[in-house]
Amino acid sequence: LNDRLGQLPWDLYIANQTNRILLLHWHRPVPLEHFLVPNELDWSVPKTVPGFFPNSNEVRVSREGMKLVRSLPELFDLDESRPDDTFWSRLDASLSNARNDAKILRHRLLGHLNEDILEERLGRLRETDLLHNTASFGNIFWMFFRPATGVQQALDSVYDSLQLQPNSYSAIHCRVRHPKATPKDVIIKGKNQEYTADKTVLPWHGATKAHAIQIATRALRCAQRFSFPEPIYLFSDANDL
């Protein structure tokens, strides 16, 4: 989710700097509208685009629509979505060229990895409400999205079963099987030894179990300091935790 939506600030910046309208479309595993639908801002691709959707009720594109997407020119000359350092020195030239380029462009830039560069650029534009330590990202997210009906029903079910009141509890997310939860020189294999723990289940014994519990315990103690007596909702990428 974050790889696709964590760069919304970058997407807004690029659209602004190229005088373009920002539209979002997911194709796999299912359309984004199955999970999140437009809220204050309509980012959906218009149903009137010829050949893009099979019919007016669909949000999954047709084969012809995917051919159309793949034929669109790229905004950036990139071999992959994770650019090297040289890319950022060429960014201004790319944005400048895009203003006079084709009407519709696409880009595959994993921008949330370089938010420090974006904040530096926003600072040059005399922007003071930046991304970190402010409410900006949350405001942007809710301007774009609200949960689809099925997701909202699932959320309501969790609230009811755990007796949680919106805005009256603290949440802790322990992502313990992800490689970044451990030192750079440590690679934790999953229960399937051919893959890392990020791809398969975290081995629940020995050092990996102790490490996960240590992280969760520290997070819980931190939350208790700041949220007591509010309830705490703990969720994790490790079911055993």
Side-chain angles (χ1 to χ4, degrees):
L1 184 66
N2 186 63
D3 281 351
R4 290 157 181 79
L5 298 181
Q7 66 176 43
L8 277 175
W10 257 115
D11 293 333
L12 276 174
Y13 174 80
I14 290 173
N16 174 273
Q17 294 294 293
T18 59
N19 296 321
R20 291 176 181 274
I21 294 172
L22 173 61
L23 300 178
L24 307 177
H25 186 81
W26 288 18
H27 185 65
R28 293 177 299 185
V30 293
L32 177 57
E33 289 87 344
H34 281 257
F35 307 104
L36 299 168
V37 294
N39 194 15
E40 299 174 23
L41 183 74
D42 189 357
W43 40 262
S44 56
V45 176
K47 293 292 196 297
T48 54
V49 176
F52 199 77
F53 297 101
N55 58 63
S56 60
N57 296 321
E58 286 280 345
V59 290
R60 182 183 289 276
V61 300
S62 63
R63 287 187 178 181
E64 291 72 21
M66 285 308 298
K67 290 179 182 177
L68 173 65
V69 170
R70 294 190 184 103
S71 68
L72 293 173
E74 295 275 1
L75 170 58
F76 301 121
D77 181 19
L78 283 173
D79 294 329
E80 56 182 16
S81 61
R82 297 171 183 251
D84 58 23
D85 291 340
T86 62
F87 167 78
W88 301 108
S89 63
R90 296 182 280 111
L91 180 60
D92 286 318
S94 297
L95 294 178
S96 178
N97 292 337
R99 293 191 181 100
N100 303 310
D101 210 329
K103 180 177 180 181
I104 303 175
L105 295 171
R106 64 173 178 153
H107 83 93
R108 291 174 289 175
L109 172 66
L110 208 54
H112 72 276
L113 299 177
N114 299 91
E115 284 179 344
D116 56 327
I117 296 176
L118 175 56
E119 286 204 325
E120 179 185 327
R121 287 174 166 268
L122 293 175
R124 283 188 231 149
L125 295 173
R126 298 183 180 179
E127 177 63 67
T128 57
D129 186 13
L130 301 179
L131 307 179
H132 302 109
N133 303 315
T134 74
S136 293
F137 186 86
N139 292 336
I140 291 171
F141 187 91
W142 293 117
M143 180 179 71
F144 272 77
F145 306 113
R146 59 182 171 84
T149 301
V151 174
Q152 187 61 59
Q153 290 173 346
L155 292 172
D156 292 341
S157 175
V158 172
Y159 278 131
D160 291 342
S161 65
L162 299 180
Q163 297 181 327
L164 297 175
Q165 295 296 321
N167 302 314
S168 297
Y169 67 93
S170 294
I172 297 173
H173 181 195
C174 289
R175 197 176 178 186
V176 294
R177 79 183 192 197
H178 194 269
K180 292 187 182 299
T182 57
K184 288 184 177 180
D185 58 337
V186 177
I187 298 177
I188 297 180
K189 295 289 187 179
K191 287 186 178 179
N192 181 339
Q193 288 291 305
E194 294 184 15
Y195 300 96
T196 61
D198 187 36
K199 302 295 183 183
T200 59
V201 181
L202 184 77
W204 199 243
H205 56 75
T208 54
K209 175 182 177 180
H211 179 68
I213 292 176
Q214 179 186 24
I215 291 176
T217 302
R218 181 177 179 181
L220 283 165
R221 286 175 176 164
C222 179
Q224 285 176 325
R225 285 184 59 191
F226 294 103
S227 65
F228 185 81
E230 285 187 354
I232 297 172
Y233 174 49
L234 171 69
F235 60 114
S236 174
D237 61 355
N239 290 343
D240 292 305
L241 184 59

